[in-house]
């Protein structure tokens, strides 16, 4: 009878131990499954739950196995949660495109005013600046030589021989209101078979590379068969 009771107790103890072992194993599997689900969800509540399970009373000390989630896994979940919930970075503002300045174009006749500046006389020679002024609202440029035609008091064209001096031209940019000049030269001394020289009353001026002309007063006696030497347009309004 005593042996029978001992055998029954052994069987009972074995059954209880097996039951405890099975429960412990199931608890570990459930904990690992819960941890994996939390890692997949990557949400802040999952991280908070993991912290509670780790820091709950009865948590084993470091170095011992635990049915809960380990600290490295909690750190990984925190990193993932912060990345998932962080606000998107605002796109960098594109730098404002600076407006490209408009390049000046050639000065047109309609935006120019002409005049003859102060002349310089000496030994029968005359020098004077022919000034072109930009009357427009935008900068423009002149380049090269003007064309000239003298007109007498009756409105008739006089023989005019415009001779270009051998000076290399350069572009001159004129701001609104600014001017450039071309130096004119002529003689008042009769040459060759001339006994008298015609006197002009007006001067027609064709700006460089233009067709339309300007007309200004020009009271001058020009000898040498109407020859006027012309230099290309230069900066400034004086010789």
């Amino acid at each position: 009878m005593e042996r029978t009771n001992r055998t029954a107790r052994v069987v009972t103890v074995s059954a209880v131990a097996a039951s405890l072992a099975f429960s412990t194993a199931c608890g570990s599997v459930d904990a690992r499954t819960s941890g994996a689900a939390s890692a997949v969800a990557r949400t802040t509540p999952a991280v908070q739950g993991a912290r509670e399970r780790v820091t709950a009373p009865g948590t084993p000390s470091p170095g011992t196995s635990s049915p809960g989630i380990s600290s490295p896994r909690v750190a990984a979940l925190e990193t993932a949660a912060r990345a998932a919930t962080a606000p998107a970075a605002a796109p960098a503002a594109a730098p404002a495109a600076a407006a490209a300045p408009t390049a000046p174009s050639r000065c047109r006749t309609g935006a120019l005013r002409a005049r003859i500046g102060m002349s310089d006389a000496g030994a029968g020679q005359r020098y004077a600046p022919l000034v072109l002024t930009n009357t427009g609202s935008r900068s423009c440029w002149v380049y090269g030589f003007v064309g000239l035609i003298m007109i007498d008091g009756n409105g008739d064209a006089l023989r005019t021989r415009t001779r270009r001096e051998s000076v290399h031209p350069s572009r001159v940019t004129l701001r609104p209101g600014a001017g450039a000049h071309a130096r004119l030269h002529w003689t008042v001394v009769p040459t060759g078979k001339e006994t008298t020289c015609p006197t002009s009353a007006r001067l027609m001026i064709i700006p460089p590379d233009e067709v339309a002309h300007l007309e200004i007063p020009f009271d001058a006696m020009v000898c040498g068969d109407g020859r006027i030497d012309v230099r290309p347009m230069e900066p400034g309004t004086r010789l």
Side-chain angles (χ1 to χ4, degrees):
M1 184 66 177
E2 183 177 355
R3 290 180 180 178
T4 301
N5 292 336
R6 288 179 179 177
T7 301
R9 284 196 298 272
V10 170
V11 172
T12 300
V13 171
S14 300
V16 171
S19 176
L20 290 175
F22 179 78
S23 298
T24 301
C26 290
S28 299
V29 172
D30 291 341
R32 285 193 297 272
T33 304
S34 176
S38 300
V40 173
R42 295 175 180 268
T43 61
T44 302
V47 176
Q48 185 63 28
R51 285 176 174 172
E52 292 175 356
R53 287 196 296 273
V54 172
T55 59
T59 301
S61 59
T64 62
S65 61
S66 170
I69 301 177
S70 62
S71 295
R73 186 174 298 175
V74 171
L77 288 175
E78 289 178 345
T79 301
R82 283 194 296 268
T85 59
T102 304
S105 59
R106 190 178 78 245
C107 295
R108 302 292 182 174
T109 301
L112 294 173
R113 182 178 67 247
R115 65 181 177 87
I116 297 294
M118 184 177 295
S119 62
D120 181 16
Q125 308 300 313
R126 300 291 185 268
Y127 298 89
L130 168 60
V131 179
L132 297 180
T133 301
N134 178 12
T135 61
S137 60
R138 297 182 178 180
S139 296
C140 62
W141 53 264
V142 290
Y143 175 84
F145 299 85
V146 298
L148 304 173
I149 299 176
M150 293 186 292
I151 301 174
D152 66 13
N154 296 322
D156 296 328
L158 296 174
R159 178 172 173 79
T160 307
R161 297 190 300 134
T162 303
R163 293 294 183 89
R164 298 180 176 183
E165 295 189 20
S166 57
V167 177
H168 185 73
S170 59
R171 179 179 294 187
V172 181
T173 300
L174 303 179
R175 299 188 305 273
H181 77 279
R183 193 192 75 172
L184 307 183
H185 165 255
W186 67 94
T187 180
V188 295
V189 177
T191 60
K193 296 181 180 182
E194 289 181 331
T195 56
T196 60
C197 301
T199 300
S200 70
R202 302 186 67 80
L203 183 65
M204 291 178 56
I205 303 159
I206 304 173
D209 296 321
E210 287 292 290
V211 176
H213 70 274
L214 304 169
E215 190 172 320
I216 60 173
F218 185 61
D219 184 9
M221 183 178 69
V222 179
C223 297
D225 199 18
R227 173 175 170 172
I228 301 178
D229 299 325
V230 181
R231 297 187 64 165
M233 298 301 300
E234 300 177 72
T237 58
R238 297 183 179 181
L239 295 178

